[in-house]
Amino acid sequence: MNRLYLVTDSDVARKAGHTLPFVVEEACRAGVRWVQLREKDLSTRAFLEMGAEIKPITQAYGAKLIINDRVDVALALDADGVHVGQDDMPYPMVRALLGQDKIIGLSINNLDELQAIHSDELDYLGIATIFPTGTKQDTSSLLGLEGLRQICAQTSLPTFAIGGINAQNIQQVMQTGITGAAVVSAICGHPSPYEASRELLMSERVKE
């Protein structure tokens, strides 16, 4: 399993002078094989249009296209899966709608949320928030590396850490028992998304 996961943010990309399809293409060209389309401020139509631009790129590189929150958008695009949060549609219902061949990820923020999982309907967990980050405003319960380590030790599901991860700290993150690392600004906001992705991929492989 490729261990680097790109989560998109078109505002961050725009401020760096990039379009989102460009960022995704450059990341996939560098070796990223997980892309989550997370665009909370787009209308349904704009979200679908963006997804329709992104999907051929991910398909061309054999990357997984995961849609954040929006099961309807994932169904319309025939995306590879959906990532939901604690306040989104319950994941058993997501599974009933998507079917057994799609990927479902769930965000968890602490051990209590991990222990509340009583289902085999999930394919992976997104664990947040590890470090302070500008793309997630509510960081009142930062896990840090030790909190991340504790959660990883108590689940057999694949796990992706997110929150302030970059080329300088990704090696520390990968030493906690995590499956992989998800990044936003470290790729979307970098002057060269390709070079940023390559650097992150090389950094996280040091442990292997």
Side-chain angles (χ1 to χ4, degrees):
M1 177 184 287
N2 188 297
R3 306 206 295 174
L4 185 61
Y5 190 138
L6 170 62
V7 178
T8 70
D9 189 314
S10 56
D11 287 338
V12 172
R14 192 179 305 113
K15 288 173 183 176
H18 310 311
T19 66
L20 204 57
F22 172 79
V23 170
V24 172
E25 174 102 44
E26 290 294 275
C28 289
R29 186 167 71 88
V32 171
R33 293 296 176 262
W34 288 84
V35 176
Q36 181 184 140
L37 189 58
R38 186 175 73 179
E39 298 298 325
K40 294 180 179 292
D41 296 328
L42 292 183
S43 67
T44 298
R45 180 183 293 274
F47 203 154
L48 283 166
E49 290 173 349
M50 181 62 73
E53 284 192 70
I54 298 298
K55 184 179 176 182
I57 299 170
T58 56
Q59 284 185 314
Y61 290 93
K64 301 295 186 186
L65 175 61
I66 308 297
I67 303 299
N68 181 261
D69 296 352
R70 298 292 300 272
V71 179
D72 57 336
V73 172
L75 286 167
L77 293 170
D78 191 25
D80 295 294
V82 170
H83 185 93
V84 292
Q86 293 292 315
D87 297 324
D88 299 322
M89 183 182 291
Y91 56 85
M93 191 176 294
V94 177
R95 176 62 71 199
L97 290 168
L98 291 184
Q100 295 301 315
D101 61 333
K102 298 298 186 180
I103 299 167
I104 300 177
L106 174 70
S107 292
I108 64 167
N109 304 280
N110 51 56
L111 283 170
D112 288 342
E113 291 176 356
L114 175 64
Q115 292 161 0
I117 296 171
H118 300 292
S119 170
D120 59 359
E121 303 291 357
L122 292 170
D123 295 294
Y124 74 88
L125 299 175
I127 304 175
T129 304
I130 313 308
F131 305 115
T133 169
T135 60
K136 185 175 175 64
Q137 299 304 313
D138 181 13
T139 56
S140 58
S141 56
L142 287 174
L143 284 170
L145 294 173
E146 184 53 38
L148 177 60
R149 188 175 290 108
Q150 290 175 12
I151 290 176
C152 291
Q154 296 190 39
T155 181
S156 59
L157 284 168
T159 48
F160 289 89
I162 188 168
I165 298 171
N166 54 44
Q168 286 68 52
N169 59 33
I170 192 171
Q171 292 182 51
Q172 295 174 283
V173 172
M174 298 307 298
Q175 291 166 1
T176 63
I178 202 80
T179 303
V183 301
V184 184
S185 299
I187 292 177
C188 291
H190 195 279
S192 170
Y194 174 83
E195 292 299 335
S197 300
R198 291 298 298 165
E199 184 178 8
L200 287 158
L201 284 163
M202 293 302 293
S203 296
E204 59 100 352
R205 284 178 182 155
V206 171
K207 177 178 176 288
E208 298 179 337

